[in-house]
Amino acid sequence: MDDNANYLKAVRNQYEGYPYPPRVPEDERHRRLRTGLCELPQLNHYGHAGRQGFEGYHALVAGGGTGDATVFLAEQLHERGGRVVHLDLSTASMEVAKQRCAVRGLTNVEWVHGSLLDLPQMGLGPFDHINCCGVLHHLADPDQGLAALRAVLRDDGSMGIMLYGRYAREGVYQMQALLRLLNQGETDMDACVRTARATLGAVPASNWYKFGEKLFSDVWKFGDPGIYDLLLHSQDRAYTVPQLYDYVEKQGMRLVAFGRPLDRMWLTPGFSIREPRLLQRLNNLPERDRQAAMEIFTGTAIKHSFYVSPRTDSVASLDDLDNVPFLYGFAGDDPNRVIADFFQKAKGKGVTLKDQDFSYPVQPQAHSHHILRHMDGTRTTAEIFEAVRAATGDQRLTDPVLLKDFRPVYEQFNQVDHMLLRHKTARPLPPLRQQIPGDGGEG
Ligand SMILES: C[S@@+](CC[C@H](N)C(=O)[O-])C[C@H]1O[C@@H](n2cnc3c(N)ncnc32)[C@H](O)[C@@H]1O
């Protein structure tokens, strides 16, 4: 690799010394990590208008590190002949990722040592999907990085990106500044970590990092590599929500949706705010201003994960009645029947659905329980509506009438990814084998 390359040498040295996030390949024998922005049904819904069958799918994990996204994508794609390119600057990190794939018997990964900035010249694309999490904010010029990714993305492709969040990391930047002062002239990485540990143990509660410390799991979860990545990094920057939109749009693309349901919830005032005046003021704002306000109001967004597309129509639409709506992420058999019964018993009252991480309100409509009952993951919306008419014998329930009834419930489920769409022409995906949610680092 060219030593005059346009990445920062210090960044490479860091990840050679401290591969991140630290992973033990043997752990693959007893656990499977499920990383955000990588689940195929969601990629299909947000990035491919539901029309992707994933046969021969070609994904790039740019700055793949120790392999979380690579392993998870390769695992989901191998049965469909899909392939993953894992690209990283750090040979030490890539070695960990290779061993993880070897333990899992995954052979559909190509390993490339290099800088993502050189992608346009590498002859590797074009890709259907690019995952780039916790990487672009470490470049000297993040715009150049996103442009390089766009150059190798198909026009109907999608991206999953994670960048740091500005406000919630305020204390991190103050701690970084403090440690830069204390570590002046020190080149040994371990010595810098020792100084950081001593400092963290001594700072008073009034210190700004100490204030927000509980937002950051890196220090206790990942030890020295976590401390280095969070507090001693030679190069990182962070983004506010409006800056994210600008960053993506500068490259002629669109921020399609935030990736984590929890993020979408904290960006939506109605989920957490009851104070009527505040709620009204927030809801009167244009969407981006509302999201910008909620980022500051909530104060917890240490990172932003989001889907990006070059297209304006990449999200599957409920208006296309040839799409198949399906419930997603519910444990247990027959969730549609269980929820249909629950709705029927509610007799028009609002209900609260609970997930392991959060709960959210759903307002069942007049025909919701019928629609849910016929939503078996194979029927299109048109076929579900036909089944509802047959079951009720009510021919006044035309498609437009039922669509109007279905939409608010669909939107409430979809906001947290509990309902997604795929087009009838796209082969359904097998359910995910047992996976535990990824304990990904802060990036
Ligand atoms: C914080 S780690 C994130 C790893 C992985 N994406 C994850 O989320 O688990 C950042 C990774 O990006 C890699 N990296 C940084 N700059 C890069 C560049 N210009 N080209 C390719 N990889 C890069 C580093 O070597 C490191 O492995």
Side-chain angles (χ1 to χ4, degrees):
M1 197 166 58
D2 176 10
D3 230 24
N4 298 319
N6 35 11
Y7 60 89
L8 292 177
K9 228 175 168 177
V11 173
R12 179 176 176 197
N13 288 344
Q14 171 184 337
Y15 290 111
E16 291 295 3
Y18 286 130
Y20 182 94
R23 298 289 183 218
V24 178
E26 283 302 309
D27 284 348
E28 294 303 318
R29 297 198 192 283
H30 57 83
R31 75 168 188 186
R32 298 159 199 270
L33 291 183
R34 182 173 179 167
T35 53
L37 298 174
C38 293
E39 297 190 22
L40 302 190
Q42 291 161 325
L43 296 190
N44 197 16
H45 179 96
Y46 291 106
H48 303 293
R51 288 169 185 264
Q52 180 58 253
F54 295 98
E55 284 87 2
Y57 198 70
H58 197 199
L60 167 69
V61 183
T66 50
D68 284 3
T70 299
V71 170
F72 188 34
L73 281 169
E75 170 90 27
Q76 294 174 87
L77 288 170
H78 78 281
E79 276 169 25
R80 303 243 156 144
R83 293 170 300 132
V84 179
V85 171
H86 177 110
L87 169 77
D88 205 284
L89 274 186
S90 156
T91 48
S93 302
M94 199 149 70
E95 191 48 40
V96 175
K98 274 185 191 171
Q99 288 176 24
R100 291 175 72 185
C101 285
V103 170
R104 301 187 62 75
L106 294 168
T107 53
N108 55 338
V109 182
E110 185 182 340
W111 304 98
V112 181
H113 178 223
S115 170
L116 65 85
L117 292 163
D118 297 327
L119 273 164
Q121 295 86 50
M122 284 178 166
L124 292 172
F127 294 97
D128 295 298
H129 180 70
I130 299 177
N131 172 286
C132 191
C133 287
V135 184
L136 293 166
H137 49 221
H138 295 312
L139 300 175
D141 182 353
D143 289 330
Q144 199 189 343
L146 189 59
L149 298 184
R150 173 65 187 99
V152 293
L153 182 74
R154 287 170 54 120
D155 288 341
D156 59 355
S158 66
M159 288 190 197
I161 292 181
M162 188 277 273
L163 295 172
Y164 289 148
R166 177 67 191 90
Y167 296 111
R169 280 176 65 89
E170 178 56 38
V172 168
Y173 291 114
Q174 292 193 17
M175 184 55 76
Q176 286 186 1
L178 172 59
L179 294 175
R180 265 195 300 278
L181 289 167
L182 298 176
N183 280 323
Q184 282 178 81
E186 183 55 80
T187 51
D188 179 60
M189 288 168 69
D190 291 339
C192 292
V193 170
R194 283 199 297 278
T195 305
R197 280 192 185 280
T199 310
L200 289 177
V203 281
S206 55
N207 171 273
W208 277 47
Y209 174 75
K210 201 77 188 164
F211 256 156
E213 191 179 36
K214 60 180 177 309
L215 292 174
F216 302 95
S217 57
D218 266 343
V219 170
W220 55 266
K221 200 165 64 181
F222 292 140
D224 290 359
I227 291 181
Y228 209 100
D229 204 72
L230 185 69
L231 302 174
L232 294 163
H233 214 291
S234 56
Q235 167 81 29
D236 79 50
R237 59 151 301 178
Y239 292 77
T240 64
V241 166
Q243 287 171 342
L244 296 179
Y245 282 104
D246 289 347
Y247 178 61
V248 169
E249 287 167 6
K250 235 190 210 176
Q251 303 306 327
M253 296 190 286
R254 231 167 51 93
L255 191 163
V256 170
F258 286 89
R260 297 190 323 156
L262 271 176
D263 292 341
R264 288 182 223 143
M265 286 169 92
W266 67 250
L267 286 169
T268 307
F271 271 114
S272 57
I273 297 174
R274 296 285 163 269
E275 210 293 317
R277 180 177 172 82
L278 175 63
L279 198 55
Q280 188 210 14
R281 302 295 289 198
L282 283 164
N283 283 335
N284 281 345
L285 294 175
E287 188 184 30
R288 289 187 192 190
D289 287 353
R290 186 165 59 240
Q291 292 178 343
M294 287 306 291
E295 178 183 19
I296 304 169
F297 180 84
T298 317
T300 53
I302 59 171
K303 51 187 175 183
H304 300 297
S305 304
F306 49 96
Y307 301 104
V308 167
S309 169
R311 291 166 49 178
T312 53
D313 58 353
S314 73
V315 182
S317 166
L318 187 66
D319 292 312
D320 182 345
L321 300 192
D322 282 337
N323 280 333
V324 177
F326 58 97
L327 291 174
Y328 189 65
F330 285 98
D333 298 330
D334 264 356
N336 57 322
R337 192 184 46 75
V338 174
I339 295 171
D341 289 347
F342 189 44
F343 279 3
Q344 195 163 8
K345 280 197 201 113
K347 293 194 166 51
K349 286 211 197 84
V351 298
T352 300
L353 291 182
K354 288 194 173 61
D355 185 275
Q356 59 193 57
D357 296 326
F358 49 79
S359 56
Y360 60 99
V362 178
Q363 177 57 58
Q365 305 294 305
H367 306 290
S368 299
H369 62 285
H370 289 303
I371 293 173
L372 261 292
R373 220 173 279 293
H374 296 290
M375 188 192 295
D376 61 359
T378 66
R379 290 188 172 102
T380 62
T381 307
E383 288 163 348
I384 292 170
F385 290 172
E386 193 52 49
V388 171
R389 279 189 290 272
T392 58
D394 188 347
Q395 293 307 316
R396 289 170 306 174
L397 300 180
T398 59
D399 285 353
V401 168
L402 286 173
L403 190 59
K404 192 164 170 225
D405 186 275
F406 185 27
R407 193 180 303 281
V409 169
Y410 167 79
E411 284 173 355
Q412 285 159 341
F413 277 87
N414 178 246
Q415 170 120 14
V416 292
D417 282 353
H418 278 174
M419 205 180 281
L420 298 172
L421 299 168
R422 75 174 160 78
H423 194 258
K424 66 178 182 185
T425 54
R427 252 172 75 196
L429 290 153
L432 281 178
R433 286 194 271 157
Q434 188 60 37
Q435 306 269 355
I436 62 167
D439 62 344
E442 317 317 351

